[in-house]
Amino acid sequence: MLLDDIARTSEAVAGTSSRTAKVDALASCLRGLRADEAPIAVAYLSGVLPHAPIGVGWAALRDLPEPSPGPPSLELVDVDAALRSIGAASGPGSQAIRRSALARLFSRATDREQRFLRALLHGELRQGALESVVADGLARASDIAPAEVRRALMLAGDLGAVATAVLADGRTGLARFRLELLRPLKPMLAQSAESPREAIERVGAAVVEWKLDGARIQVHRLGEEVRAYTRNLADITDRVPEVVTAVLALPVEAVVLDGEAIALEPDGRPHPFQVTMSRFGSKLDVDALRARVPLTPVFFDCLHVDGEDLLDQPLAGRRTVLLDRVPETMRTATLETAVPEEAERFLETAIAHGHEGVMVKAVDAPYEAGRRGAGWLKVKPVHTLDLVILAAEWGHGRRQGKLSNLHLGARDPESGGFVMLGKTFKGLTDAMLAWQTERLLELECGREGHVVHVRPELVVEIALDGVQTSTRYPGGVALRFARVKGYRPDKSAAEADTIDAVRAIHARV
């Protein structure tokens, strides 16, 4: 398949707000793929590279050759091989090597292909084709039920692998994807509820849990081997030795656990969220950090135990296993109830202990991995949103030389872009200012006066007092008294909150 076919499909998808039309356009393109082209195509159409970033910033894409005047000739697999080669360049002179190779590639690209590649490499392919939409396009292209493709994606955690299997062997290929120990699967996510009462009314009899402000982890054990993964399926085993030790002490031979890693004070109250994330994200001097800021694993679900997969069992069944195999000191506090008043008192207890709210989970809900299932609802009394940084402004006075005022955006699931909601410089410590300045300059894609525009990749958790009507911003709403709670390196921009979630807060006020 030619790169031009992918670029044309991207344009078609960007040109419609209809999910059905997007899926149709994607299916038409995906039907023509060879199996070896599949992982590249589904990644590109999802707006990401199927490999690590290639080390090419905004400046390198500024002065490239004019588009090729000839007909499209770039093969998809050749383009990806060229990009991988560019990313592999290292050592003295590697920057010049990258620029030269990039120039050769772009000199063969048509105008449409150049526009597509620039957007792809900038992380700005705003076409509304997120991974879930591409998965539905793959299902339609293969005449397979979308639920079957989504389940395989949940278990594989890799759309490219699923696409390869489907295009090579159809439904038979999908059957190969099972829960596999030491290979992470996408975590189940939660929807929001305004109050415990609303949550109980929606799910009925429920398990109510303290919602800890920690880092989501998924831990696998097979014999004496343990692996820990983030919510984005990154292996962070070496960063959390205390989690490994704790899981090795459990009375199991094989297990998959879902939970949080959190830094706690000696009295059991949580450290500020940023302390947990700083420790969780550190790769150096782990032993010294562990001595100063130990992480405590707290588990709330069990997905496999000693040869038995539990994904399709109701929560009540999975909890029976969890209670049997994991000690109370490694489980989150819970209450089983169908009485709203009891759930509200339990929320008050969670807040009193320094936690951010509660989770309300239907006792009969299966584990809907990779989905924001209706069986899990989160209740937090303070509004928080996970937003994407779109730009930042140079600071003044004490913040001179630092990128300070952050431009915040919510994800627009229809366009694939981001909707500006406002700015904030509140809540930033000196350490955060220094870190974000360095990181945002790495993501820079352009400047306008004192404003540095960045690729929309960095997610930040924002606390706010509410949402108000605004004619200043394109979404018609703006944040009230927004302040930075902490960065979310465990989340991708595709997992940021949507403009619909923001408008829902506005509607409730």
Side-chain angles (χ1 to χ4, degrees):
M1 178 171 285
L2 295 176
L3 178 65
D4 182 69
D5 296 319
I6 301 296
R8 286 178 182 274
T9 301
S10 177
E11 287 183 352
V13 170
T16 177
S17 61
S18 165
R19 184 183 177 98
T20 299
K22 291 179 190 291
V23 170
D24 286 342
L26 290 164
S28 178
C29 176
L30 296 173
R31 286 190 189 99
L33 289 171
R34 301 192 311 263
D36 64 316
E37 296 170 328
I40 305 168
V42 295
Y44 284 15
L45 290 169
S46 300
V48 298
L49 293 171
H51 47 75
I54 66 172
V56 172
W58 171 76
L61 293 170
R62 206 170 31 188
D63 302 313
L64 288 169
E66 291 295 316
S68 169
S73 62
L74 285 172
E75 290 284 343
L76 181 63
V77 291
D78 293 337
V79 171
D80 197 63
L83 293 178
R84 288 177 186 270
S85 178
I86 291 168
S90 61
S94 59
Q95 193 66 21
I97 292 171
R98 287 195 189 101
R99 286 178 180 268
S100 176
L102 200 63
R104 287 196 300 275
L105 175 63
F106 269 69
S107 69
R108 297 177 55 203
T110 64
D111 181 60
R112 176 182 287 110
E113 291 169 332
Q114 282 202 5
R115 291 198 308 271
F116 177 82
L117 285 172
R118 286 177 191 273
L120 180 66
L121 295 175
H122 273 157
E124 295 182 338
L125 201 60
R126 300 177 181 180
Q127 59 191 17
L130 299 175
E131 186 178 71
S132 61
V133 183
V134 179
D136 284 356
L138 179 64
R140 185 164 300 175
S142 309
D143 293 322
I144 295 173
E148 294 182 61
V149 173
R150 291 184 197 132
R151 182 175 177 82
L153 176 58
M154 159 192 95
L155 294 169
D158 182 349
L159 183 57
V162 172
T164 300
V166 167
L167 294 175
D169 299 308
R171 185 173 279 104
T172 302
L174 287 184
R176 294 198 296 268
F177 294 104
R178 301 176 180 276
L179 191 155
E180 183 177 321
L181 289 164
L182 308 182
R183 186 180 73 183
L185 66 155
K186 290 180 177 290
M188 182 171 176
L189 304 175
Q191 298 180 16
S192 296
E194 181 70 15
S195 66
R197 176 174 295 279
E198 178 194 329
I200 292 290
E201 289 173 352
R202 286 165 62 178
V203 305
V207 174
V208 187
E209 304 170 351
W210 285 1
K211 188 179 188 308
L212 308 187
D213 202 9
R216 187 79 174 266
I217 55 171
Q218 183 183 128
V219 184
H220 293 229
R221 175 180 169 184
L222 181 58
E224 296 303 303
E225 186 171 3
V226 174
R227 288 283 179 270
Y229 304 94
T230 67
R231 61 180 289 144
N232 292 329
L233 314 187
D235 188 332
I236 42 88
T237 306
D238 293 341
R239 302 185 208 172
V240 291
E242 56 268 71
V243 173
V244 173
T245 299
V247 173
L248 282 173
L250 298 179
V252 295
E253 284 297 314
V255 73
V256 177
L257 296 166
D258 191 3
E260 303 262 347
I262 188 169
L264 298 175
E265 300 274 10
D267 63 359
R269 294 178 66 84
H271 280 285
F273 173 74
Q274 204 62 29
V275 172
T276 290
M277 293 312 298
S278 177
R279 166 60 217 280
F280 189 72
S282 298
K283 302 178 183 179
L284 303 176
D285 299 322
V286 172
D287 289 338
L289 287 170
R290 176 184 182 181
R292 293 200 304 271
V293 187
L295 290 174
T296 298
V298 182
F299 297 110
F300 50 71
D301 218 322
C302 183
L303 314 183
H304 175 98
V305 65
D306 292 338
E308 182 182 4
D309 290 347
L310 307 177
L311 290 171
D312 295 323
Q313 285 198 22
L315 174 61
R318 302 196 308 275
R319 272 185 53 74
T320 297
V321 176
L322 185 75
L323 297 177
D324 182 55
R325 303 301 182 96
V326 177
E328 185 178 3
T329 54
M330 291 169 58
R331 300 194 310 264
T332 188
T334 59
L335 168 72
E336 294 190 37
T337 186
V339 180
E341 290 78 10
E342 292 181 354
E344 288 169 351
R345 288 194 293 271
F346 195 69
L347 169 61
E348 293 172 1
T349 302
I351 298 299
H353 281 79
H355 300 295
E356 64 174 357
V358 293
M359 299 291 298
V360 180
K361 300 179 178 179
V363 294
D364 58 353
Y367 192 91
E368 298 179 85
R371 301 195 65 194
R372 201 169 289 283
W376 284 16
L377 300 174
K378 57 185 175 183
V379 181
K380 297 191 291 184
V382 176
H383 294 302
T384 63
L385 291 167
D386 292 326
L387 302 175
V388 176
I389 297 177
L390 307 179
E393 300 173 11
W394 291 108
H396 304 281
R398 186 176 64 83
R399 297 188 175 188
Q400 185 76 31
K402 298 290 192 298
L403 286 173
S404 175
N405 206 15
L406 303 175
H407 295 207
L408 304 168
R411 180 167 57 84
D412 183 348
E414 288 194 1
S415 71
F418 297 90
V419 181
M420 176 76 165
L421 297 171
K423 309 174 186 179
T424 189
F425 54 82
K426 299 182 182 299
L428 294 166
T429 65
D430 289 343
M432 291 168 72
L433 281 166
W435 178 86
Q436 77 181 24
T437 299
E438 180 179 356
R439 183 71 182 103
L440 290 172
L441 289 175
E442 292 174 355
L443 297 174
E444 179 181 351
C445 61
R447 297 195 184 194
E448 188 177 358
H450 65 293
V451 179
V452 176
H453 297 276
V454 299
R455 297 197 304 274
E457 297 180 10
L458 202 57
V459 177
V460 63
E461 186 174 9
I462 298 295
L464 59 146
D465 289 359
V467 177
Q468 61 192 11
T469 301
S470 172
T471 58
R472 183 177 182 181
Y473 297 116
V477 291
L479 308 178
R480 293 183 63 247
F481 301 109
R483 59 268 187 199
V484 175
K485 188 175 179 185
Y487 280 96
R488 296 302 306 256
D490 57 326
K491 282 194 171 185
S492 68
E495 296 176 289
D497 282 307
T498 66
I499 184 63
D500 294 332
V502 179
R503 289 173 177 149
I505 295 175
H506 179 258
R508 292 196 295 265
V509 175

